[in-house]
Amino acid sequence: MKKSLQKLLTVTFSLAILLSACSKAPNKILPKKDGLWSATYTSTETVGGASSTQTGAWSITFSEGTGVASELGFSAPFTWSYDKKNKTITITFSGSSSATYNVEEMKSNSEKWTRNYTEVSSGITYNTNETFNLSKVK
């Protein structure tokens, strides 16, 4: 009986830790506190078998449904929304089209977003893969 109780307490404690470690949706996490995040990105574009990769870093401040991304003294305001069902984030910068990212990882201090898309222009096919790694600034 004592071993059964000990096992039950161990399982209960493990479940409590596991459930408390589960993250909330980005719409609850991103604007928390001051909403300041750092984001590194990698964008790889492939055209006709040749690839080129760009990398960079942004400082992003999230508020409820709006935000500002800054890089090298340039700031760009945007709106954003989270689709819980599809686990996607849609970002729209002022005066441009929207981009929808798959939320691959959601943690209280980090997130990973990806986007893969294809465009055809003048008969040339462009395949682009983007990855954003966000880290909460403490």
Side-chain angles (χ1 to χ4, degrees), residues 4-132:
S4 295
L5 181 59
Q6 186 178 14
K7 282 184 181 181
L8 178 63
L9 288 174
T10 302
V11 169
T12 303
F13 180 71
S14 298
L15 282 174
I17 289 174
L18 180 65
L19 292 175
S20 69
C22 290
S23 60
K24 296 180 182 178
N27 58 327
K28 303 290 184 200
I29 300 272
L30 294 173
K32 265 193 162 182
K33 296 186 181 179
D34 59 6
L36 185 58
W37 292 74
S38 64
T40 58
Y41 68 87
T42 303
S43 178
T44 302
E45 184 175 75
T46 305
V47 181
S51 296
S52 66
T53 300
Q54 294 181 336
T55 60
W58 289 82
S59 174
I60 304 175
T61 303
F62 290 93
S63 298
E64 297 293 329
T66 63
V68 176
S70 303
E71 179 184 38
L72 301 172
F74 172 76
S75 293
F78 61 89
T79 59
W80 66 279
S81 63
Y82 175 66
D83 181 333
K84 185 176 181 178
K85 179 182 175 188
N86 295 314
K87 293 185 180 176
T88 58
I89 292 247
T90 300
I91 304 281
T92 304
F93 285 96
S94 299
S96 69
S97 60
S98 298
T100 300
Y101 297 89
N102 297 310
V103 180
E104 303 291 338
E105 295 176 15
M106 294 183 282
K107 298 179 182 174
S108 62
N109 290 319
S110 65
E111 295 202 5
K112 179 180 179 180
W113 304 348
T114 61
R115 178 180 131 165
N116 303 311
Y117 62 96
T118 301
E119 295 177 313
V120 178
S121 177
S122 301
I124 300 171
T125 302
Y126 299 85
N127 294 308
T128 305
N129 296 314
E130 297 177 339
T131 301
F132 278 81

